[in-house]
Amino acid sequence: MSESQKNLYRDVNELFDVYRRLVPEVGNTYDALPMEVYKDGALSAKVKRLMALSGALVHGCRACIVFQTEHALNLGASVEEILEACSVAISLGGTMAAGETTRVVQYLMEKGLIENTA
């Protein structure tokens, strides 16, 4: 495990803040969509974040994987729910999603939510 997922989360967040300052018209417009999409509706915000995590895993977006995991946790998702969302992604995305799931596992380990029992 080379790259810290917690550091990736921090770095991407900080760098996108720089982008927002440099190009506020795009940054503000971009921010409005997720604020609308991820609020509670027919589906809870937590379920939407778990769905987004599965999509991020299938697509292989490393920043999205960590961000969606953190948002799901903040909305009360359990480790079991997060790992089950990973299972859906593996079912859809095969080996690539399985490989990207290791980012989620590492992030949960870094946060002290699961242990490496190997």
Side-chain angles (χ1 to χ4, degrees):
M1 291 182 261
S2 56
E3 177 183 41
S4 165
Q5 301 310 296
K6 287 173 74 174
N7 289 344
L8 173 64
Y9 180 87
R10 182 202 66 228
D11 293 347
V12 168
N13 200 31
E14 289 175 2
L15 292 170
F16 200 71
D17 283 345
V18 171
Y19 176 82
R20 280 187 191 96
R21 284 193 305 277
L22 295 171
V23 191
E25 58 281 354
V26 174
N28 293 336
T29 303
Y30 170 79
D31 288 344
L33 179 63
M35 287 175 60
E36 182 63 28
V37 168
Y38 290 112
K39 66 184 183 182
D40 285 328
L43 297 172
S44 71
K46 178 179 85 170
V47 167
K48 291 177 181 183
R49 291 297 181 170
L50 292 168
M51 292 170 64
L53 172 59
S54 184
L57 288 162
V58 170
H59 192 300
C61 175
R62 62 191 190 117
C64 300
I65 292 164
V66 178
F67 271 70
Q68 296 303 337
T69 301
E70 181 64 19
H71 282 294
L73 287 168
N74 289 339
L75 291 166
S78 67
V79 169
E80 292 78 14
E81 289 172 316
I82 290 169
L83 295 177
E84 198 164 308
C86 292
S87 297
V88 171
I90 293 169
S91 173
L92 292 170
T95 303
M96 187 174 98
E100 293 299 328
T101 293
T102 63
R103 289 188 185 281
V104 175
V105 171
Q106 182 181 356
Y107 190 64
L108 295 172
M109 288 172 58
E110 289 175 11
K111 292 182 73 66
L113 298 173
I114 60 174
E115 294 181 23
N116 182 354
T117 58

